[in-house]
Amino acid sequence: MDFITGLLANYAQFFSWDALYGVITDPVTWGIVFWLVILEGLLSCDNALVLAVCVNHLPEKQRKKALIYGIWGAYFFRFIAIGLGTYLIKFKWVAILGAGYLLWMSAKFFYSKFKKTAEDDDEAVLNKRSGFWTSFWGTVVTVELMDISFSVDSILAAFAMSDKVWVLFIGGMLGILMMRGVAQLFIKLLDKYPELESAAYVLIALIGGKLFAQTFDIHVPHVVLFSVMGAVLLGTIALHHLREGGKKKHDSL
């Protein structure tokens, strides 16, 4: 009974003007939202291409409609996941599991960098669909399932950044719009600075470490976290230019 009461109280924040006002007037909120959007963009920009493949078989008029329905479904999933997750993350064992998953995800990425793995051909897999799954509503369901699978990592990282539902929901909404609207911008950014993908997983590891520390009442100030995250991204870009400059200098000799 206490669980249900606490969960309902958590969801009630979505309908509280005081909770929303407190969030939008707090400068820290916008720092968290900024980093949530950056992470969403770096981790999920290529997913927009997969979603495009999902709807590619539909008539042109239905493609946009399927993606729009997918956006609304993604918002609803975020609403459910954020309300439930921000309540559960308060339990120490859940926070430890969440931190462990983020650290494992980061370690897995860097381990795979040293190991050759066969890439999944998303388009080939999607093109094997038949029957209901190639219909309009089947495609909408596919887009929803893709959205859910794509958003799990970024949602869990968000829980480590804040426990305020409106902060996470605003970040999630902007992140979803970014994945649909400006994915090409992030793809070009990653093409120019491929090291940013590794930097994103360094950020995931930092966030996982922060969440793990919180479970033992060790709280990292947001200004420190934001500064370190900014240094990682700027340092990655600077390192790229140094390497490129070194290569050009070596080639000219």
Short mmCIF file of all heavy atoms in Angstrom, two decimals, residues 176-209:
data_model
loop_
_atom_site.label_atom_id
_atom_site.label_comp_id
_atom_site.label_asym_id
_atom_site.label_seq_id
_atom_site.Cartn_x
_atom_site.Cartn_y
_atom_site.Cartn_z
N ILE A 176 13.61 13.41 -27.72
CA ILE A 176 12.85 12.71 -28.76
C ILE A 176 12.72 13.58 -30.00
O ILE A 176 12.89 13.11 -31.13
CB ILE A 176 11.45 12.32 -28.22
CG1 ILE A 176 11.59 11.22 -27.16
CG2 ILE A 176 10.55 11.83 -29.36
CD1 ILE A 176 10.32 10.97 -26.38
N LEU A 177 12.42 14.87 -29.80
CA LEU A 177 12.33 15.78 -30.93
C LEU A 177 13.66 15.88 -31.66
O LEU A 177 13.71 15.95 -32.89
CB LEU A 177 11.88 17.17 -30.46
CG LEU A 177 10.42 17.31 -30.06
CD1 LEU A 177 10.15 18.69 -29.49
CD2 LEU A 177 9.50 17.04 -31.24
N MET A 178 14.75 15.86 -30.88
CA MET A 178 16.07 15.94 -31.48
C MET A 178 16.34 14.70 -32.32
O MET A 178 16.84 14.80 -33.44
CB MET A 178 17.15 16.07 -30.40
CG MET A 178 18.56 15.92 -30.93
SD MET A 178 19.78 16.42 -29.73
CE MET A 178 19.56 18.18 -29.77
N MET A 179 15.98 13.53 -31.78
CA MET A 179 16.24 12.29 -32.50
C MET A 179 15.50 12.28 -33.83
O MET A 179 15.98 11.77 -34.83
CB MET A 179 15.80 11.08 -31.66
CG MET A 179 16.23 9.75 -32.26
SD MET A 179 15.94 8.36 -31.15
CE MET A 179 14.18 8.17 -31.29
N ARG A 180 14.30 12.90 -33.86
CA ARG A 180 13.51 12.95 -35.10
C ARG A 180 13.93 14.11 -36.01
O ARG A 180 14.01 13.95 -37.21
CB ARG A 180 12.03 13.14 -34.77
CG ARG A 180 11.39 12.03 -34.00
CD ARG A 180 11.23 10.78 -34.84
NE ARG A 180 10.15 9.94 -34.35
CZ ARG A 180 10.24 9.11 -33.34
NH1 ARG A 180 11.39 8.98 -32.72
NH2 ARG A 180 9.21 8.38 -32.95
N GLY A 181 14.21 15.26 -35.39
CA GLY A 181 14.38 16.48 -36.18
C GLY A 181 15.79 16.81 -36.60
O GLY A 181 16.01 17.24 -37.74
N VAL A 182 16.75 16.68 -35.69
CA VAL A 182 18.11 17.13 -36.01
C VAL A 182 19.12 15.99 -35.92
O VAL A 182 20.29 16.20 -35.62
CB VAL A 182 18.54 18.30 -35.10
CG1 VAL A 182 17.68 19.51 -35.35
CG2 VAL A 182 18.48 17.92 -33.62
N ALA A 183 18.64 14.77 -36.19
CA ALA A 183 19.55 13.62 -36.15
C ALA A 183 20.70 13.81 -37.14
O ALA A 183 21.84 13.45 -36.85
CB ALA A 183 18.78 12.33 -36.46
N GLN A 184 20.38 14.37 -38.31
CA GLN A 184 21.41 14.56 -39.33
C GLN A 184 22.54 15.45 -38.83
O GLN A 184 23.70 15.25 -39.18
CB GLN A 184 20.79 15.16 -40.60
CG GLN A 184 19.89 14.21 -41.37
CD GLN A 184 20.64 13.01 -41.91
OE1 GLN A 184 21.82 13.10 -42.23
NE2 GLN A 184 19.97 11.88 -41.99
N LEU A 185 22.19 16.45 -38.00
CA LEU A 185 23.21 17.35 -37.44
C LEU A 185 24.18 16.57 -36.57
O LEU A 185 25.41 16.74 -36.66
CB LEU A 185 22.54 18.46 -36.64
CG LEU A 185 23.47 19.44 -35.90
CD1 LEU A 185 24.30 20.22 -36.90
CD2 LEU A 185 22.66 20.40 -35.03
N PHE A 186 23.65 15.70 -35.72
CA PHE A 186 24.51 14.91 -34.84
C PHE A 186 25.29 13.86 -35.63
O PHE A 186 26.43 13.54 -35.28
CB PHE A 186 23.68 14.25 -33.73
CG PHE A 186 23.57 15.10 -32.51
CD1 PHE A 186 22.61 16.09 -32.43
CD2 PHE A 186 24.43 14.94 -31.44
CE1 PHE A 186 22.50 16.90 -31.32
CE2 PHE A 186 24.33 15.75 -30.31
CZ PHE A 186 23.37 16.73 -30.25
N ILE A 187 24.68 13.34 -36.69
CA ILE A 187 25.40 12.37 -37.53
C ILE A 187 26.61 13.04 -38.18
O ILE A 187 27.71 12.48 -38.23
CB ILE A 187 24.45 11.78 -38.59
CG1 ILE A 187 23.44 10.84 -37.91
CG2 ILE A 187 25.24 11.01 -39.66
CD1 ILE A 187 22.33 10.37 -38.81
N LYS A 188 26.40 14.26 -38.67
CA LYS A 188 27.51 15.02 -39.28
C LYS A 188 28.58 15.34 -38.23
O LYS A 188 29.78 15.30 -38.52
CB LYS A 188 26.98 16.30 -39.91
CG LYS A 188 26.18 16.08 -41.18
CD LYS A 188 25.65 17.39 -41.75
CE LYS A 188 24.84 17.16 -43.02
NZ LYS A 188 24.27 18.42 -43.56
N LEU A 189 28.11 15.66 -37.01
CA LEU A 189 29.06 15.96 -35.93
C LEU A 189 29.89 14.73 -35.60
O LEU A 189 31.12 14.83 -35.40
CB LEU A 189 28.28 16.42 -34.69
CG LEU A 189 29.08 17.06 -33.55
CD1 LEU A 189 29.75 18.35 -34.02
CD2 LEU A 189 28.18 17.34 -32.36
N LEU A 190 29.24 13.56 -35.57
CA LEU A 190 29.96 12.33 -35.28
C LEU A 190 30.86 11.92 -36.44
O LEU A 190 31.90 11.29 -36.23
CB LEU A 190 28.97 11.19 -34.97
CG LEU A 190 28.34 11.26 -33.57
CD1 LEU A 190 27.16 10.30 -33.47
CD2 LEU A 190 29.36 10.95 -32.50
N ASP A 191 30.45 12.27 -37.66
CA ASP A 191 31.31 12.00 -38.81
C ASP A 191 32.59 12.84 -38.73
O ASP A 191 33.68 12.37 -39.06
CB ASP A 191 30.58 12.32 -40.12
CG ASP A 191 29.59 11.21 -40.50
OD1 ASP A 191 29.74 10.09 -39.98
OD2 ASP A 191 28.67 11.49 -41.29
N LYS A 192 32.43 14.09 -38.30
CA LYS A 192 33.58 14.98 -38.19
C LYS A 192 34.45 14.65 -36.98
O LYS A 192 35.68 14.72 -37.05
CB LYS A 192 33.09 16.43 -38.10
CG LYS A 192 34.23 17.45 -38.14
CD LYS A 192 33.71 18.87 -38.23
CE LYS A 192 34.86 19.87 -38.33
NZ LYS A 192 34.36 21.27 -38.43
N TYR A 193 33.78 14.31 -35.88
CA TYR A 193 34.50 13.97 -34.64
C TYR A 193 34.05 12.58 -34.17
O TYR A 193 33.25 12.45 -33.24
CB TYR A 193 34.21 14.99 -33.54
CG TYR A 193 34.54 16.41 -33.89
CD1 TYR A 193 33.53 17.34 -34.15
CD2 TYR A 193 35.86 16.85 -33.97
CE1 TYR A 193 33.84 18.66 -34.47
CE2 TYR A 193 36.17 18.16 -34.30
CZ TYR A 193 35.15 19.06 -34.54
OH TYR A 193 35.45 20.36 -34.86
N PRO A 194 34.52 11.51 -34.80
CA PRO A 194 34.09 10.15 -34.43
C PRO A 194 34.41 9.79 -32.98
O PRO A 194 33.77 8.93 -32.38
CB PRO A 194 34.85 9.25 -35.41
CG PRO A 194 35.97 10.10 -35.95
CD PRO A 194 35.48 11.50 -35.92
N GLU A 195 35.40 10.49 -32.41
CA GLU A 195 35.76 10.22 -31.00
C GLU A 195 34.65 10.60 -30.03
O GLU A 195 34.66 10.17 -28.87
CB GLU A 195 37.03 11.00 -30.63
CG GLU A 195 38.26 10.64 -31.44
CD GLU A 195 38.40 11.51 -32.69
OE1 GLU A 195 37.43 12.20 -33.05
OE2 GLU A 195 39.50 11.50 -33.29
N LEU A 196 33.67 11.40 -30.49
CA LEU A 196 32.58 11.82 -29.61
C LEU A 196 31.72 10.64 -29.16
O LEU A 196 31.10 10.69 -28.10
CB LEU A 196 31.69 12.86 -30.30
CG LEU A 196 32.25 14.28 -30.36
CD1 LEU A 196 31.32 15.19 -31.15
CD2 LEU A 196 32.47 14.84 -28.95
N GLU A 197 31.69 9.58 -29.96
CA GLU A 197 30.93 8.39 -29.54
C GLU A 197 31.55 7.79 -28.29
O GLU A 197 30.86 7.44 -27.33
CB GLU A 197 30.90 7.35 -30.66
CG GLU A 197 30.04 6.14 -30.30
CD GLU A 197 30.02 5.09 -31.39
OE1 GLU A 197 30.91 5.13 -32.29
OE2 GLU A 197 29.14 4.23 -31.35
N SER A 198 32.89 7.69 -28.29
CA SER A 198 33.59 7.19 -27.10
C SER A 198 33.40 8.16 -25.93
O SER A 198 33.21 7.73 -24.78
CB SER A 198 35.09 7.03 -27.40
OG SER A 198 35.29 6.06 -28.40
N ALA A 199 33.42 9.47 -26.23
CA ALA A 199 33.23 10.46 -25.17
C ALA A 199 31.86 10.31 -24.51
O ALA A 199 31.72 10.48 -23.30
CB ALA A 199 33.38 11.87 -25.75
N ALA A 200 30.84 9.97 -25.32
CA ALA A 200 29.49 9.78 -24.77
C ALA A 200 29.48 8.66 -23.74
O ALA A 200 28.82 8.76 -22.70
CB ALA A 200 28.50 9.48 -25.90
N TYR A 201 30.23 7.60 -24.01
CA TYR A 201 30.26 6.48 -23.06
C TYR A 201 31.15 6.78 -21.85
O TYR A 201 30.96 6.20 -20.78
CB TYR A 201 30.69 5.19 -23.77
CG TYR A 201 29.55 4.62 -24.58
CD1 TYR A 201 29.38 4.96 -25.92
CD2 TYR A 201 28.62 3.78 -23.99
CE1 TYR A 201 28.32 4.47 -26.65
CE2 TYR A 201 27.55 3.28 -24.71
CZ TYR A 201 27.40 3.62 -26.04
OH TYR A 201 26.33 3.14 -26.76
N VAL A 202 32.09 7.69 -22.02
CA VAL A 202 32.83 8.19 -20.84
C VAL A 202 31.86 8.95 -19.94
O VAL A 202 31.88 8.79 -18.71
CB VAL A 202 34.01 9.09 -21.26
CG1 VAL A 202 34.62 9.78 -20.03
CG2 VAL A 202 35.07 8.29 -21.99
N LEU A 203 30.98 9.76 -20.55
CA LEU A 203 29.97 10.50 -19.78
C LEU A 203 29.02 9.54 -19.08
O LEU A 203 28.63 9.77 -17.93
CB LEU A 203 29.19 11.44 -20.70
CG LEU A 203 29.98 12.54 -21.42
CD1 LEU A 203 29.03 13.44 -22.21
CD2 LEU A 203 30.79 13.36 -20.44
N ILE A 204 28.65 8.46 -19.77
CA ILE A 204 27.77 7.46 -19.17
C ILE A 204 28.45 6.85 -17.95
O ILE A 204 27.82 6.64 -16.91
CB ILE A 204 27.42 6.35 -20.19
CG1 ILE A 204 26.47 6.89 -21.26
CG2 ILE A 204 26.80 5.14 -19.50
CD1 ILE A 204 25.09 7.21 -20.76
N ALA A 205 29.73 6.57 -18.06
CA ALA A 205 30.48 6.01 -16.93
C ALA A 205 30.53 7.00 -15.76
O ALA A 205 30.38 6.62 -14.59
CB ALA A 205 31.90 5.63 -17.36
N LEU A 206 30.74 8.28 -16.08
CA LEU A 206 30.75 9.31 -15.03
C LEU A 206 29.40 9.39 -14.32
O LEU A 206 29.33 9.48 -13.09
CB LEU A 206 31.07 10.68 -15.65
CG LEU A 206 32.52 10.91 -16.09
CD1 LEU A 206 32.63 12.23 -16.86
CD2 LEU A 206 33.45 10.94 -14.86
N ILE A 207 28.33 9.34 -15.11
CA ILE A 207 26.98 9.41 -14.53
C ILE A 207 26.70 8.17 -13.69
O ILE A 207 26.11 8.25 -12.61
CB ILE A 207 25.93 9.57 -15.66
CG1 ILE A 207 26.10 10.94 -16.33
CG2 ILE A 207 24.52 9.43 -15.11
CD1 ILE A 207 25.31 11.09 -17.60
N GLY A 208 27.13 7.00 -14.19
CA GLY A 208 26.98 5.78 -13.41
C GLY A 208 27.74 5.84 -12.10
O GLY A 208 27.24 5.42 -11.05
N GLY A 209 28.96 6.40 -12.15
CA GLY A 209 29.75 6.57 -10.93
C GLY A 209 29.08 7.51 -9.95
O GLY A 209 29.10 7.29 -8.74
#
